[in-house]
């Protein structure tokens, strides 16, 4: 499905569609277009694409305007660029505002510097550099500029800081990702609560470690643009099964069965069986499972979970909530990867540290985050674009992660540059030895002399 979605996005980012060479993908793209036509519907990309085609064929007039200002112009795809060109060719005065060093969306078909050059040449435009950075301390900006200068295909600009002050720059190397996350939480906790912090990483998966470390010590935070770890697969399955212990609802059981490997079609059939509590439903299921397409493994799984639920409920009635949190985690840990189990172990530890009955502990997890601006911002480097913070911590600076293997070194370098230039006064960059060699970007930015130094 992901390949189909990417193919549709690619097709709609171009004025002319080019065959992929994969008949099944092309058939899906055509089928999607046929469905939209049959429903009389359009997606956003269709609106822009149709407008370009109709303006260029004189079937539609351009906007009746004298001036057009295009912001973030480095992020235009081919269709958007052609829309701007169509207006410029018909006498509209165009102003493009963009920074090719902050072009981060090649995966969304953004044209970046080549696109800016192409439209500038078409419009015979004059370039007005804006080289002064009003955000970063001088030394933070100097390191960022050293890094981005390694990209050869970029607009020449002499970037300088308006703030002639020296900021704090720190590079750390920790043993593993959990140690890195715990160090971030401890250092930020030791600073004044009034200080503004942001923690940035290449992926949301890495940020899960930071969120857990913050929750563990009660440090306020908010996540931007990504799900909380408690709402992802491991966290939601764990919490769901614990809620079932409290209220005997079915949802936690069905999610746990699916997580443990039961076929989704079988789980859906089981969910159709009705009963006042999950126990009544499980009692019926045990006698009917072979009729519903369940395997011997499914029968064993159901029986195991059924016994577990009885035992967990009994312990909760005796006020042994921490024991229940541990037992449910152990049941799930036997059915997940080592990485997932490591994550689950930290979630279990957080619940076991809390006081009160299990239902009260679960309520605590649902009110864990601060309002935006009231705690540390936790987000990906992509989500941080356009923002600024007094203090920025970038974690996961290892080869294979930053730069990531899924993207080009040039785009990853721009991403790291954007992350560095979010910091106004303090920049900390960390990596974990267990995750690989320290990123080449630290050497390129002059933060270390050699990647073997750490």
């Amino acid at each position: 499905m992901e390949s189909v979605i990417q193919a549709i996005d690619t097709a709609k980012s171009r004025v002319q569609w080019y065959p992929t060479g994969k008949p099944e993908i092309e058939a899906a793209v055509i089928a999607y277009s046929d469905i939209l036509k049959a429903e009389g519907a359009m997606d956003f990309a269709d609106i822009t694409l149709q407008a370009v085609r109709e303006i260029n064929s004189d079937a539609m007039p351009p906007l009746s305007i004298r001036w057009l200002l295009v912001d973030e112009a480095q992020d235009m795809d081919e269709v958007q660029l052609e829309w701007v060109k169509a207006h410029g060719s018909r006498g509209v005065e165009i102003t493009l505002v963009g920074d090719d060093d902050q072009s981060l969306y090649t995966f969304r078909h953004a044209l970046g510097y080549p696109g800016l050059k192409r439209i500038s040449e078409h419009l015979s435009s004059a370039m007005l550099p804006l080289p002064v950075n009003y955000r970063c301390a001088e030394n933070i900006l100097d390191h960022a500029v050293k890094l981005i200068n390694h990209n050869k295909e970029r607009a020449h600009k002499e970037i300088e800081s308006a703030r002639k002050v020296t900021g704090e720059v720190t590079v750390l190397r920790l043993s593993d990702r959990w140690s890195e996350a715990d160090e971030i939480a401890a250092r930020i906790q030791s600073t004044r609560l009034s200080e503004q912090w942001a923690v940035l990483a290449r992926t949301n998966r890495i940020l899960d470690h930071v969120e857990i470390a913050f929750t563990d010590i009660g440090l306020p935070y908010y996540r931007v643009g990504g799900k909380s770890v408690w709402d992802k697969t491991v966290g939601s399955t764990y919490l769901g099964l614990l809620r079932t212990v409290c209220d005997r609802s079915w949802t936690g059981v069905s999610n746990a069965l699916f997580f443990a490997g039961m076929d989704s079609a079988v789980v859906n059939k089981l969910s159709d069986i009705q009963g006042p509590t999950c126990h009544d439903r499980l009692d019926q299921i045990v006698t009917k499972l072979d009729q519903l397409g369940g395997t011997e493994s499914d029968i064993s799984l159901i029986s195991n979970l059924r016994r577990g639920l009885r035992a967990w409920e009994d312990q909760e009635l005796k006020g042994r909530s921490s024991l229940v949190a541990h037992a449910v985690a152990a049941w799930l840990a036997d059915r997940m990867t080592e990485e997932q189990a490591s994550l689950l172990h930290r979630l279990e530890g957080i619940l076991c540290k809390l006081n009160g009955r299990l239902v009260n502990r679960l309520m605590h997890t649902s009110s864990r985050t601060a309002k935006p601006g009231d705690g540390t911002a936790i987000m990906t480097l992509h989500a941080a674009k356009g923002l600024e913070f007094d203090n920025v911590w970038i974690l996961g600076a290892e080869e294979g992660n930053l730069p990531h293997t899924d993207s080009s070194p040039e785009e990853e370098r721009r991403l790291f540059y954007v992350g560095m230039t979010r910091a106004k006064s303090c920049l900390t960059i960390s990596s974990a030895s267990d995750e690989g060699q320290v990123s080449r970007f630290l050497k390129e930015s002059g933060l270390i002399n050699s990647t073997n130094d750490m």
Side-chain angles (χ1 to χ4, degrees), residues 101-104 140 143-145 147-148 151 170-171 200-202 381-382 392-399 401-404 408-423 427-431 438-447:
D101 291 333
Q102 298 192 52
S103 178
L104 310 180
I140 292 176
H143 286 298
V145 171
L147 172 70
I148 201 63
N151 278 359
T170 306
V171 178
L200 314 179
R202 179 62 174 80
L381 289 157
H382 283 94
V392 168
W393 193 308
I394 301 174
L395 75 152
E398 305 102 15
E399 287 293 312
N401 178 58
L402 195 57
H404 202 278
S408 69
E410 291 74 21
E411 177 123 342
E412 293 294 292
R413 195 173 283 113
R414 290 192 292 268
L415 187 59
F416 204 93
Y417 169 81
V418 165
M420 293 176 72
T421 54
R422 300 311 94 194
L427 173 65
T428 303
I429 300 173
S430 62
S431 60
V438 68
S439 172
R440 73 191 79 168
F441 294 158
L442 273 66
K443 180 177 183 296
E444 291 179 359
S445 59
L447 290 168

Side-chain angles (χ1 to χ4, degrees), residues 148-165:
I148 201 63
N149 279 338
H150 282 78
N151 278 359
K152 301 307 178 186
E153 190 175 18
R154 57 186 289 265
H156 176 73
K157 38 193 171 308
E158 298 291 341
I159 306 171
E160 60 178 293
S161 175
R163 298 181 62 210
K164 305 303 179 183
V165 296

